[in-house]
């Protein structure tokens, strides 16, 4: 990346923030529904340092916002976090898992494997991964975050009534898109958390960051790499690199999209640095990008703001925030996660339209503001096949709760449809004498 590109990105960030600073700030908070629950749980278990997680994720937010110019999220590696919570990983074990994924992604990036991989994956499979990830977020919200809520329990500030109110408010923002939903909900949730903390005398206090080094032992490498890292690798490659690049291009067509190599190196660099200090393993997820876009973010300025906020809070309050953040209403977090899932799942709508990346249609072939197509983009048979591929990908991803299984199922379905063309091509070459036994 040259100086001129950096100047262009900086100008775009500054211009967008000046014109739409409320939307940018609101959008920057969109991914907290994913970030907070996992970070808090891991910090309570003593698996990661909350202060280091806030500081390093804040630094990475700032750098990605300045370098890429889009609201690229910095969010937990979910597969690693899930295994770490279930098995009460030590700091060394979760660090080893983060290092394992980072080293693999770094090798894939510098060798060009990521770029080849992104070009080789059929668009219906990519869309299927995105839709499946969105539905998984919705299911996770209903099954984990919101499932414990009752009509008036567990507290006056966190119950089903507030969840329904937050959802109704969310639906209304589909009409009034300029309303800073995430910002307003976050402020209200923070007020509720502070009020409950004051009652339980668990308010945060000034507690300067004291960095400490995490050095994984040989046993940590075996457990972290094999039990958590391998499961995270396809999720990071597919959803945090390939899918997020495609999604950025779909959502922000007027902003230069970072390459898969650049995003891959970013994921590798974040974990090769932060995990040494007890920070949570992180990546760039398409769900986080969808959430931040849904709530108003349109430039890197949004995540620069979020990063600065994390950095200040992490340095001056650190671990004392755990008690406060534990009391942030799950009702609000759950609905924010649902919003992210809905936004991510909605990208499947463009599968068979002129906006599809592999449609061969461009803006010059579309008439007027209504995006009316000149002739069919795909035949009825092609549309049906592409829709089947995306649904197979989504079904297996959601059903088995595994991106890799969904990916393999979608690829096999796609190749099955391509088999007759391959056979016809072989026959044609045979008849022309271009294939000899």
């Amino acid at each position: 990346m040259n100086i001129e590109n950096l100047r262009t990105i900086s100008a775009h960030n500054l211009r967008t923030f000046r014109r739409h600073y409320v939307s940018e700030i609101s959008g920057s908070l969109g991914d907290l529904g994913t970030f907070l629950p996992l970070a808090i749980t891991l910090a309570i278990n003593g698996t990661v340092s909350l202060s280091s997680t806030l500081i390093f994720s804040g630094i990475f937010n700032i750098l990605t916002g300045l370098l890429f110019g889009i609201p690229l999220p910095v969010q937990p590696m979910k597969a690693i976090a899930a295994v770490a919570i279930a098995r009460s990983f030590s700091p060394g074990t979760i660090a080893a898992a983060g290092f394992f994924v980072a080293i693999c992604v770094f090798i894939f990036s510098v060798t060009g494997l990521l770029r080849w991989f992104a070009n080789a994956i059929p668009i219906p499979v990519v869309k299927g991964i995105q839709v499946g990830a969105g539905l998984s977020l919705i299911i996770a919200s209903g099954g984990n975050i919101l499932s414990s809520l009752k009509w008036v329990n567990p507290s006056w500030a966190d119950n089903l009534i507030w969840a329904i109110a937050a959802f109704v408010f969310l639906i209304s923002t589909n009409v009034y898109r300029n309303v800073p939903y995430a910002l307003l909900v976050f402020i209200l949730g923070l007020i509720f958390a502070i009020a409950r903390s004051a009652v339980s005398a668990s308010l945060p206090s000034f507690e300067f960051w004291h960095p400490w080094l995490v050095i994984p032992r040989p046993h940590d490498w075996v457990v972290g790499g094999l039990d958590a890292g391998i499961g995270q690798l396809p999720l990071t490659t597919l959803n945090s690199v390939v899918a997020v690049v495609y999604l950025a291009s779909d959502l922000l067509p007027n902003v230069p999209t970072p390459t898969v190599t650049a995003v891959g190196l970013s994921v590798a660099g974040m974990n090769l640095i932060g995990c040494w200090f007890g920070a949570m393993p992180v990546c760039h997820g398409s769900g986080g990008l969808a959430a931040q876009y849904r709530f108003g973010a349109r430039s890197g300025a949004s995540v620069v703001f979020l990063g600065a906020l994390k950095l200040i809070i992490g340095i001056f309050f650190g671990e004392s925030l755990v008690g406060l953040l534990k009391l942030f209403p799950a009702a609000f977090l759950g609905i924010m996660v649902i919003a992210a899932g809905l936004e991510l799942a909605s990208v499947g709508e463009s599968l068979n339209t002129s906006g599809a990346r592999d449609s061969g249609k461009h803006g010059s072939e579309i008439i007027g503001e209504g995006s009316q197509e000149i002739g069919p983009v795909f035949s009825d048979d092609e549309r049906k096949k592409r829709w089947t591929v995306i649904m197979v990908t989504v079904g297996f991803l959601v059903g088995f709760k595994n991106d890799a299984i969904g990916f393999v199922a979608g690829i096999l379905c796609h190749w099955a449809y391509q088999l007759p063309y391959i056979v016809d091509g072989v026959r044609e070459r045979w008849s022309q004498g271009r294939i000899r036994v």
Side-chain angles (χ1 to χ4, degrees):
M1 180 175 291
N2 55 43
I3 299 299
E4 188 59 34
N5 286 338
L6 288 175
R7 288 176 179 172
T8 302
I9 290 172
S10 297
H12 167 69
N13 287 341
L14 188 58
R15 181 173 60 253
T16 305
F17 193 79
R18 282 178 174 174
R19 293 176 179 176
H20 309 287
Y21 61 91
V22 175
S23 295
E24 290 291 296
I25 293 173
S26 177
S28 72
L29 305 173
D31 193 37
L32 293 182
T34 303
F35 184 89
L36 287 181
L38 293 178
I40 293 169
T41 304
L42 290 170
I44 291 172
N45 292 347
T47 303
V48 302
S49 164
L50 181 61
S51 54
S52 292
T53 296
L54 289 171
I55 289 169
F56 283 98
S57 66
I59 292 172
F60 301 144
N61 274 135
I62 293 171
L63 290 177
T64 53
L66 294 176
L67 293 176
F68 297 140
I70 61 174
L72 196 63
V74 175
Q75 57 181 194
M77 288 189 176
K78 298 180 186 64
I80 289 179
V83 176
I85 292 170
R87 298 183 54 179
S88 299
F89 273 6
S90 68
T93 307
I94 196 171
F99 288 141
F100 174 84
V101 175
I103 292 169
C104 291
V105 172
F106 178 79
I107 294 173
F108 295 163
S109 300
V110 298
T111 58
L113 283 174
L114 267 181
R115 186 171 59 253
W116 173 86
F117 193 53
N119 293 331
I121 301 176
I123 295 301
V125 176
V126 175
K127 293 282 188 184
I129 292 168
Q130 293 172 332
V131 173
L135 294 179
S136 296
L137 286 175
I138 297 171
I139 293 170
S141 176
N144 299 328
I145 303 176
L146 298 176
S147 60
S148 62
L149 300 181
K150 307 298 181 184
W151 285 109
V152 293
N153 290 319
S155 79
W156 62 269
D158 191 14
N159 50 56
L160 276 178
I161 295 175
W162 282 114
I164 294 172
F167 182 72
V168 171
F169 184 26
L170 173 67
I171 295 301
S172 70
T173 61
N174 289 330
V175 179
Y176 303 100
R177 302 287 290 191
N178 292 329
V179 175
Y181 177 88
L183 179 60
L184 295 176
V185 170
F186 178 76
I187 291 174
L188 182 60
L190 193 60
I191 292 172
F192 285 178
I194 291 173
R196 294 173 66 190
S197 295
V199 174
S200 59
S202 58
L203 286 171
S205 58
F206 282 106
E207 186 177 314
F208 287 98
W209 178 50
H210 298 288
W212 44 280
L213 200 61
V214 176
I215 302 178
R217 300 167 299 175
H219 176 71
D220 293 330
W221 287 101
V222 174
V223 176
L226 295 180
D227 294 358
I230 290 178
Q232 178 66 48
L233 191 57
L235 179 60
T236 295
T237 306
L238 296 171
N239 187 49
S240 301
V241 179
V242 177
V244 80
V245 169
Y246 277 88
L247 183 63
S249 179
D250 289 340
L251 296 180
L252 302 163
N254 298 322
V255 182
T257 304
T259 64
V260 291
T261 300
V263 175
L265 290 174
S266 176
V267 171
M270 289 190 300
N271 293 285
L272 289 174
I273 295 172
C275 289
W276 288 110
F277 299 92
M280 177 175 57
V282 292
C283 59
H284 303 304
S286 57
L289 175 59
Q292 291 173 170
Y293 179 88
R294 170 63 181 81
F295 294 126
R298 297 294 183 272
S299 76
S302 61
V303 288
V304 171
F305 172 85
L306 177 63
L309 189 63
K310 286 181 180 178
L311 193 57
I312 293 171
I313 293 174
I315 291 174
F316 294 104
F317 293 96
E319 309 302 325
S320 71
L321 282 170
V322 173
L324 174 65
L325 295 179
K326 280 175 60 179
L327 297 176
F328 194 93
F332 294 161
L333 287 177
I335 300 303
M336 290 174 72
V337 171
I338 287 175
L342 291 172
E343 186 69 30
L344 185 54
S346 69
V347 303
E349 181 270 337
S350 63
L351 174 67
N352 291 323
T353 68
S354 58
R357 187 181 295 271
D358 57 347
S359 67
K361 295 280 186 180
H362 301 285
S364 59
E365 299 177 87
I366 300 172
I367 301 176
E369 296 180 358
S371 296
Q372 180 182 354
E373 299 163 3
I374 302 178
V377 179
F378 299 104
S379 67
D380 289 342
D381 184 55
E382 288 175 324
R383 289 173 184 265
K384 183 177 180 179
K385 290 177 179 177
R386 289 164 65 85
W387 185 250
T388 301
V389 172
I390 192 175
M391 292 311 297
V392 167
T393 306
V394 171
F396 275 80
L397 188 156
V398 174
F400 288 91
K401 299 179 181 180
N402 189 304
D403 284 48
I405 292 177
F407 168 75
V408 171
I411 286 290
L412 290 176
C413 183
H414 172 78
W415 284 348
Y417 282 132
Q418 300 304 312
L419 189 59
Y421 301 108
I422 296 173
V423 172
D424 290 343
V426 172
R427 286 177 176 172
E428 183 179 352
R429 291 187 180 90
W430 179 275
S431 64
Q432 294 173 354
R434 295 164 61 187
I435 298 179
R436 296 180 181 178
V437 178

